[in-house]
Amino acid sequence: GNSVTQMEGPVTLSEEAFLTINCTYTATGYPSLFWYVQYPGEGLQLLLKATKADDKGSNKGFEATYRKETTSFHLEKGSVQVSDSAVYFCALSGSQGNLIFGKGTKLSVKP
Amino acid sequence: DGGITQSPKYLFRKEGQNVTLSCEQNLNHDAMYWYRQDPGQGLRLIYYSQIVNDFQKGDIAEGYSVSREKKESFPLTVTSAQKNPTAFYLCASSIGRGNTDTQYFGPGTRLTVL
């Protein structure tokens, strides 16, 4: 079945460091891919999405490219801030209209 | 402001009790979803609904029930049959069930069994 695997956390970075969070997927058909962010005690917010191969989603300095050949959707940001500290979830669209999530990666950014 | 509201934010349940979690949206979305989140885990689908008076079981529906009597409301009942209900519950909605449709999430309800 469809599934998402993302890198284990936690990830700890200094402010202004480069961020990569790896995400790979297994899917039949042509799913859409999403990155969501969750701040402590809150619901999830959409960070970015891509709906077809080679699409690049971007928002707030974060980027991810839908790579069908490597079944990947890695999240990157060139310079992280303390305010980026959160849990990041990679997800793909499922056959029930739902989202199938990875386990999440906790990011902590130190000043 | 359009959005999704969930209440209560925190809920405590005694063993053997049923409790109902509220989810309301004013986005005019057709599809609504309930997910469960456990520490260190991704979200798992409990139930979903595409239209009023219709809903389907997700991956972990046992011990839960839902209703969809109005487009904007999708309450979840956690019954006494749910053996391990302590978790964070998230409601979401989307304009449809297309695979490009973005899901928008509420702030969540944290349920604790005493």
Side-chain angles (χ1 to χ4, degrees), chain A residues 30 32 36 49 96-97 99, chain B residues 33 35 97 99-100 102-103:
Chain A
Y30 303 94
S32 295
Y36 280 84
K49 72 178 187 181
Q96 300 165 311
L99 293 173
Chain B
Y33 309 83
Y35 293 91
R97 284 181 56 224
N99 73 347
T100 63
T102 298
Q103 288 189 20

Side-chain angles (χ1 to χ4, degrees), chain A residues 62-104:
Chain A
F62 291 90
E63 293 183 340
T65 301
Y66 189 158
R67 301 286 188 198
K68 195 166 176 64
E69 64 275 13
T70 55
T71 62
S72 65
F73 193 54
H74 304 321
L75 182 68
E76 297 182 335
K77 186 175 186 183
S79 176
V80 294
Q81 306 300 312
V82 172
S83 58
D84 293 326
S85 298
V87 180
Y88 292 81
F89 291 93
C90 183
L92 63 82
S93 54
S95 59
Q96 300 165 311
N98 61 312
L99 293 173
I100 297 168
F101 287 88
K103 292 186 176 182

Side-chain angles (χ1 to χ4, degrees), chain A residues 53-64:
Chain A
D54 300 325
D55 266 3
K56 178 187 282 188
S58 61
N59 185 26
K60 299 180 182 179
F62 291 90
E63 293 183 340

Side-chain angles (χ1 to χ4, degrees), chain A residues 1-74:
Chain A
N2 294 357
S3 66
V4 174
T5 302
Q6 61 181 105
M7 63 187 286
E8 298 274 338
V11 174
T12 302
L13 295 174
S14 297
E15 205 165 22
E16 299 184 2
F18 185 86
L19 169 70
T20 299
I21 300 178
N22 290 338
C23 172
T24 57
Y25 68 90
T26 302
T28 55
Y30 303 94
S32 295
L33 298 171
F34 303 81
W35 277 101
Y36 280 84
V37 58
Q38 184 179 35
Y39 298 99
E42 297 184 7
L44 276 65
Q45 302 174 24
L46 177 70
L47 184 58
L48 53 84
K49 72 178 187 181
T51 59
K52 60 183 187 296
D54 300 325
D55 266 3
K56 178 187 282 188
S58 61
N59 185 26
K60 299 180 182 179
F62 291 90
E63 293 183 340
T65 301
Y66 189 158
R67 301 286 188 198
K68 195 166 176 64
E69 64 275 13
T70 55
T71 62
S72 65
F73 193 54
H74 304 321

Side-chain angles (χ1 to χ4, degrees), chain B residues 4-5 28 39 49-50 58-59 78 80-81 84 86-87 97-98 104 106-107:
Chain B
I4 301 176
T5 57
N28 200 32
S49 168
Q50 186 180 7
D59 300 320
V78 184
S80 57
N84 185 23
T86 295
R97 284 181 56 224
Y104 296 87

Side-chain angles (χ1 to χ4, degrees), chain A residues 38 44 89 98-103, chain B residues 6 13 21 33-48 58-64 76-79 81-92 103 105 108-113:
Chain A
Q38 184 179 35
L44 276 65
F89 291 93
N98 61 312
L99 293 173
I100 297 168
F101 287 88
K103 292 186 176 182
Chain B
Q6 292 186 242
R13 192 193 91 171
L21 283 59
Y33 309 83
W34 275 104
Y35 293 91
R36 170 180 170 141
Q37 184 180 20
D38 294 284
Q41 300 294 317
L43 280 67
R44 293 180 291 168
L45 182 67
I46 305 173
Y47 268 97
Y48 64 99
D59 300 320
I60 56 166
E62 186 175 352
Y64 300 97
L76 173 74
T77 297
V78 184
T79 75
Q82 170 48 236
K83 298 305 179 189
N84 185 23
T86 295
F88 192 48
Y89 290 87
L90 288 158
C91 179
Q103 288 189 20
F105 285 80
T109 292
R110 187 166 299 281
L111 174 62
T112 303
V113 174

